[in-house]
Structures are given as structure tokens and as C-alpha cells.
Amino acid sequence: MQHSFALVTGATSGLGHAAARLLAEGCWCEIIVTGRSLARIQETAAQLAAETELQVFAPLELDLDKPSSVQSALAELVKRGQPVDFLLLNAGLVAGSARVLTAAGVEAAQAPLIGHHQLTVGLLRANLLSPNARIVIAGAEPARGDVPLFSYTDVAAFAAKHFQGDRTAAVEALVRSGPNVKYESGRACADAKLIVAWWAAALARRLPSGMAVYAVSPGSAPDTKASRNASLIVKWLFIPLVKLIPGMSQTPETAARRYLQAAEFGTDVSGQFFASAPKKLTGPIEAMRHPHFHDRANQEAAWQAVVKVSGVDFSSAAT
């Protein structure tokens, strides 16, 4: 694909910052970097320019928790009028020990997907994704169900127990961390990234033929701010142990390279979730074959739940 115009969310630190720097070093012509605070992201853009000695970074204020901020960012992108070739939906966080809801009533770990959905659909509606655009959204290995301290919800069983089999209602309950959801930080994290993988699969069926989307886990990279809200057991037990065990952690730069690797994938694997090999947290990425990632009913339920929560829909190809 042409290395022309990229947009990276959550670029003020960690993986987003590393990815933006790597894109510049890979000869991308312009890289829009986003952050919650305009002042902070302007500072980040200047810092990246100094680090790379390249004047290719454009700051954009974007708070994914606020639909008004997403709309303002989209309006600014419409003014610029330059289609995005690579959309990296990186922003996110690890769920904390206590349940936290945004002003819109969305569980904090689930909230980035809602904002990313609004942004992506807005770009599609405005024809601001190039015909061969690649979209990468951050996933995580805990969605597989084989990482200690993390387990995902069986949506079909949850729906049967509480929602008369309505899986869309069940996923919406997880997104909102509703009254039937017993909050556990590890489960909240795994569920959030599982829904991301399902969303990507459903989006792939709706994209024009030349475009593609992938959920990609950057892998274990403890030296970022993503775990700032994590539970104490994750912060003080799991992460230190991961750092001590050879092959269980990697630098933000190594992790961010996974995103750029996926940017070169073809449309034949659009909609798939790429992560470390089963039971691994680092190393080469591969398409995940676990059956729960490929349940089409859950994929569509996730899409419809995100549509309902976000208030934004998009349909191009047949589902």
C-alpha cells in the first residue's frame, strides 16, 4: 500500500507514540496523532518531530469517551479532506479493580471501542478512507481465554440466562457493565478485547472490497501507561512476574511493529484477530483459530450492540 496518510489514536505515550515514530521512519508522508488534550498532543507531535527529525506529525484532539469530541475531530478531518490510508485504533486501557463507567454509561475498558466505532464509521461516511485503506484495532491475548487471571464471558450462555437468548442485549449489558454483570477486572478486560475482535470481523463484512480491517494484539508490553488503572493484583503481581520470565514481555517498539506488520496484510484475511501463538504473550503473530472468535452470531451481536450504544451504524456489503 502507498505510505501516504496515517491516523494513530492514543499517541501521547506507549504503543501509539512508538507506532507513530515507526510510521515516520517508514517514510509515511503525514501522520495524524491524537490525544485527549490538544495541548498534550501538540507537545507529543513536537516531541515526535524532534525524535525523528521529520516534520510529518499533525496533532488532533480526540477524546474517545466524548461523542462531541469525536464529531469535532471528524469535522476537522473533513476540512483537511485527505483520505486516510492507515487507521490505527490503538487507544485503550486495562480495566481497574473497581467498576468505572463513562458519562455515557459505558464500562471504561469498553469505551474506546465505542469511540473508535464512531470515528471509523464517520470516516467511512465522509469517504475519508482511501479505496485500499487498512484499519487496525488493538486487541489482546486475554481474549483467547488462556492467560492467567483473565477469562471471557460465554455470551450465548449469558444471553440464555438473562436475556431470553438475545445475544445483542447480552453484549450491550457487558459494554455497559449492567446489573446482570458481576464486575471482575480480568473478565472485563478479556470481554472488551473479545468484543473488539468480533467487531472487526463484522466490520470486515461491511467494508468496500478494497479495504480491510484486522484486530491485532500488540502483545505483552508492560512499560506503557495502559495498565495505569489495572487492579493491584495485575500491577503488583502479574506484570512484575511477566517482566521476570524470559519471552513474556517486549518493548513498546517491538509491540508496535505488529500494528505496522498488519498494515501490509491483504483483504483475504480481513476481519481476523492476530496475536501471539496460543498461550504465548510475545513472538510472531498469527491468526487466532479459537472457535469463539469465529462465531458469526456473536460477531453480529457485538456489532449491533456497539451500534445501539454508539448511536451510529454503517452498512456497505451484505452481512
Side-chain angles (χ1 to χ4, degrees):
M1 62 182 295
Q2 273 194 318
H3 290 182
S4 297
F5 196 68
L7 189 156
V8 180
T9 69
T12 55
S13 65
L15 298 174
H17 190 280
R21 186 171 63 250
L22 290 169
L23 286 166
E25 293 169 355
C27 299
W28 284 74
C29 297
E30 184 174 5
I31 302 149
I32 291 182
V33 288
T34 80
R36 292 172 181 264
S37 159
L38 180 58
R40 178 72 188 283
I41 197 59
Q42 287 174 335
E43 179 183 321
T44 297
Q47 179 185 355
L48 284 164
E51 290 174 0
T52 61
E53 299 183 348
L54 295 167
Q55 298 298 321
V56 296
F57 302 98
L60 179 67
E61 183 177 13
L62 173 62
D63 186 340
L64 292 166
D65 289 351
K66 298 178 180 177
S68 61
S69 179
V70 177
Q71 290 305 312
S72 294
L74 285 167
E76 179 61 29
L77 291 168
V78 168
K79 281 184 188 178
R80 297 185 187 197
Q82 176 64 53
V84 173
D85 300 300
F86 178 40
L87 177 61
L88 175 51
L89 307 173
N90 160 77
L93 53 80
V94 176
S97 55
R99 189 194 319 256
V100 175
L101 301 180
T102 67
V106 177
E107 193 276 315
Q110 300 275 3
L113 173 57
I114 303 304
H116 280 145
H117 174 86
Q118 292 166 335
L119 175 65
T120 303
V121 172
L123 290 170
L124 284 163
R125 285 178 169 176
N127 292 317
L128 284 176
L129 289 179
S130 65
N132 296 310
R134 295 294 183 264
I135 303 166
V136 169
I137 186 166
E141 277 83 3
R144 297 183 312 216
D146 60 7
V147 177
L149 304 180
F150 298 90
S151 60
Y152 62 86
T153 298
D154 182 333
V155 166
F158 182 55
K161 182 175 181 180
H162 296 289
F163 301 98
Q164 295 77 50
D166 185 339
R167 297 193 194 188
T168 297
V171 175
E172 182 182 356
L174 294 175
V175 170
R176 296 190 181 278
S177 196
N180 292 311
V181 177
K182 181 181 178 182
Y183 183 83
E184 297 172 358
S185 59
R187 186 176 293 272
C189 178
D191 284 343
K193 293 307 185 181
L194 178 53
I195 293 170
V196 160
W198 286 337
W199 175 86
L203 175 60
R205 291 192 283 271
R206 292 164 168 80
L207 289 176
S209 60
M211 298 183 192
V213 58
Y214 323 98
V216 177
S217 171
S220 173
D223 293 326
T224 73
K225 295 182 179 179
S227 61
R228 61 190 180 276
N229 296 322
S231 64
L232 292 179
I233 193 170
V234 170
K235 276 186 178 179
W236 302 114
L237 177 61
F238 184 76
I239 290 177
L241 282 174
V242 162
K243 286 185 174 183
L244 288 173
I245 301 172
M248 291 290 282
S249 64
Q250 59 195 351
T251 65
E253 289 72 21
T254 298
R257 285 191 179 94
R258 290 182 170 198
Y259 293 149
L260 276 63
Q261 178 185 349
E264 306 293 342
F265 289 168
T267 56
D268 57 320
V269 291
S270 183
Q272 295 195 38
F273 171 41
F274 291 85
S276 311
K279 299 185 180 180
K280 301 290 185 181
L281 296 177
T282 61
I285 57 174
E286 59 185 64
M288 296 293 97
R289 304 300 181 190
H290 306 68
H292 65 278
F293 289 122
H294 300 277
D295 187 316
R296 186 160 175 152
N298 284 346
Q299 293 168 357
E300 288 301 314
W303 177 268
Q304 294 303 331
V306 170
V307 165
K308 187 174 179 181
V309 173
S310 68
V312 176
D313 197 2
F314 175 80
S315 181
S316 177
T319 59

